[in-house]
Amino acid sequence: MKDPRLQKMARGLIDYSVKLQPGEKILIEVIDSGTPLALEVVKQVYRVGGVPFTVVRKKELERQIMLEATEEQLDKMAQYELVQMKEMDAYIGIRAPENANETADVPGEQHQLYMKHYSRPVVDERVNNTKWCIMRYPNPSMAQSANMSTEAFEDFYFDVCTLDYSKMARAMEPLKQLMERTDQVRLVGEGTDLSFSIKGLPAIPCAGEMNIPDGEIFTAPVRDSVNGVITYNTPAVYQGVTHERIRLEFKNGKIIKATGNETDKLNQVFNTDEGGKFIGEFSLGVNPYILKPMKDTLFDEKICGSIHFTPGQAYQECDNGNRSAIHWDLVLIQLPEYGGGEISFDGRLIRKDGRFTLSELRALNPENLK
């Protein structure tokens, strides 16, 4: 029996997220599982008069390529895929990896080659020149990471992914205006005391257009303004490795010390290039249904009461000048059960223990977004 939630989600992706118009070409990319949603998306593309293209990838095949790929091979792979991507008006990525740690045993230098010569050029073309939306699709692996049954996770997934994003967008507007008037930001919490400037940089609300699930508003720090220390309390999977207890020290924007449960591999990531040691994004998470981490960045970075502070590449729409092959969203949850914490803008407390304190921002607290 067909799940009506799939049709609702697919319709939202086409009508709201990428706003596909008649005659526009869209690439639908599926990683591992996710075909049931892709089928519904194709139907919705045809409904609005669009032109769908599909590609299906497997993480275990990607791993095998990565193990011995040469720079020349990866340049050719990127060249081939860029021909296709440049033809597209829109892109939807449906990602449901069957093993989040599939590439954990790929040597670090091969990961770096893959990022620099293949992933980054293709991603930049997609992000900067198409209407795009990335999402997950529920599977047993994701349910296991969330410590839930598959059925319970599916119910959670559709609650998270099909909420009223237009309501969220309206609630974000006062925070956007406040961020764009702000110079100095300070983050304080357990193992964290960090200061930086966001003066002159735009704030970008994200409410169901580029990510599903969504629920964040991001900007970027002035590149050389970051000073202090931040300790992330959310596990992060990167290049197949699970990192925990990441602690970063900054001086004049640059990471000068990085430690964690995998300190050597952690530093290998930041040493990918010079920009890997600087921050490309600062964001506040507000999704009312996501309250705990599940080792999946697309969910964890939207946790209500969280922030993410991202080493690596800045986004074009909020460009602080940082360039890197990496963009790693590392998450700090400031809810009381995770140690709490405070955010201040120009010396004024705006969020405490994950809840907005200013009257004009309280519409973003979880009880008001559900």
Side-chain angles (χ1 to χ4, degrees):
M1 183 177 176
K2 194 175 295 183
D3 191 334
R5 299 176 299 185
L6 286 176
Q7 184 183 63
K8 178 182 178 181
M9 186 170 174
R11 182 179 285 265
L13 289 170
I14 296 305
D15 293 348
Y16 180 81
S17 298
V18 300
K19 299 178 175 62
L20 199 71
Q21 301 301 307
E24 287 188 327
K25 299 183 290 293
I26 181 169
L27 178 64
I28 303 155
E29 181 183 59
V30 178
I31 295 179
D32 285 350
S33 54
T35 303
L37 178 58
L39 289 169
E40 289 297 330
V41 171
V42 169
K43 293 176 185 178
Q44 295 301 319
V45 171
Y46 281 134
R47 176 181 62 83
V48 301
V51 184
F53 297 81
T54 61
V55 61
V56 179
R57 306 186 191 278
K58 298 291 286 186
K59 291 294 287 185
E60 60 182 332
L61 286 175
E62 180 183 37
R63 171 189 171 274
Q64 200 63 48
I65 291 288
M66 292 174 72
L67 282 169
E68 298 186 62
T70 64
E71 183 176 320
E72 180 182 10
Q73 176 187 354
L74 294 169
D75 285 339
K76 284 291 185 183
M77 287 169 55
Q79 181 182 351
Y80 169 77
E81 294 207 14
L82 283 167
V83 170
Q84 181 182 49
M85 192 64 74
K86 288 177 179 178
E87 286 289 321
M88 296 297 126
D89 301 292
Y91 167 92
I92 287 176
I94 302 170
R95 301 175 179 177
E98 293 162 1
N99 177 6
N101 301 104
E102 186 64 54
T103 60
D105 57 354
V106 175
E109 59 270 19
Q110 287 300 109
H111 272 292
Q112 291 178 358
L113 271 181
Y114 195 80
M115 291 291 292
K116 287 182 179 179
H117 294 277
Y118 172 65
S119 294
R120 180 49 57 191
V122 176
V123 169
D124 283 349
E125 176 64 30
R126 184 253 296 169
V127 168
N128 295 330
N129 297 307
T130 72
K131 300 180 291 183
W132 59 273
C133 187
I134 300 293
M135 74 217 62
R136 299 294 186 262
Y137 184 78
N139 64 9
S141 175
M142 295 173 67
Q144 188 174 38
S145 292
N147 296 313
M148 300 171 72
S149 70
T150 301
E151 182 179 356
F153 181 76
E154 287 177 356
D155 291 340
F156 161 74
Y157 172 86
F158 285 108
D159 282 343
V160 166
C161 292
T162 59
L163 59 79
D164 186 348
Y165 282 115
S166 61
K167 178 181 179 181
M168 178 184 285
R170 292 190 297 272
M172 285 178 169
E173 190 57 32
L175 179 55
K176 169 183 168 64
Q177 294 174 11
L178 176 60
M179 291 172 75
E180 291 180 343
R181 296 194 303 268
T182 296
D183 178 359
Q184 292 295 315
V185 177
R186 187 178 180 194
L187 308 177
V188 178
E190 289 187 4
T192 296
D193 192 345
L194 195 71
S195 299
F196 53 93
S197 172
I198 57 173
K199 185 176 182 180
L201 287 151
I204 312 297
C206 299
E209 294 181 316
M210 296 180 188
N211 283 176
I212 297 292
D214 216 343
E216 64 170 293
I217 180 164
F218 75 89
T219 184
V222 174
R223 188 174 184 267
D224 62 356
S225 71
V226 184
N227 286 283
V229 61
I230 184 170
T231 303
Y232 301 95
N233 56 12
T234 304
V237 179
Y238 197 78
Q239 298 176 347
V241 176
T242 300
H243 295 266
E244 298 185 73
R245 302 183 302 278
I246 295 175
R247 181 181 186 274
L248 304 181
E249 293 183 30
F250 292 85
K251 183 176 181 180
N252 298 329
K254 188 175 183 177
I255 298 170
I256 59 170
K257 185 177 181 181
T259 60
N261 67 316
E262 295 278 1
T263 295
D264 289 345
K265 291 181 179 180
L266 181 69
N267 281 279
Q268 194 168 47
V269 174
F270 298 140
N271 289 331
T272 297
D273 47 39
E274 183 65 14
K277 300 181 183 72
F278 289 82
I279 297 298
E281 179 188 359
F282 163 60
S283 184
L284 290 82
V286 299
N287 192 300
Y289 289 102
I290 310 178
L291 300 174
K292 62 181 182 179
M294 51 174 285
K295 293 200 298 186
D296 188 310
T297 300
L298 199 63
F299 281 77
D300 293 352
E301 68 179 1
K302 314 304 190 320
I303 290 172
C304 178
S306 73
I307 64 101
H308 53 277
F309 201 64
T310 306
Q313 177 84 355
Y315 285 116
Q316 188 177 62
E317 61 264 55
C318 183
D319 191 358
N320 70 350
N322 201 42
R323 296 290 174 268
S324 178
I326 73 167
H327 179 94
W328 191 6
D329 294 312
L330 296 172
V331 178
L332 168 61
I333 305 171
Q334 294 186 314
L335 297 171
E337 55 267 39
Y338 291 91
E342 298 181 353
I343 302 175
S344 297
F345 288 173
D346 291 330
R348 185 185 186 194
L349 183 68
I350 68 113
R351 201 179 76 180
K352 182 177 176 61
D353 295 342
R355 293 186 60 82
F356 290 99
T357 56
L358 303 183
S359 59
E360 64 268 30
L361 304 182
R362 287 177 185 154
L364 288 170
N365 287 331
E367 66 274 13
N368 299 319
L369 285 180
K370 289 186 175 180

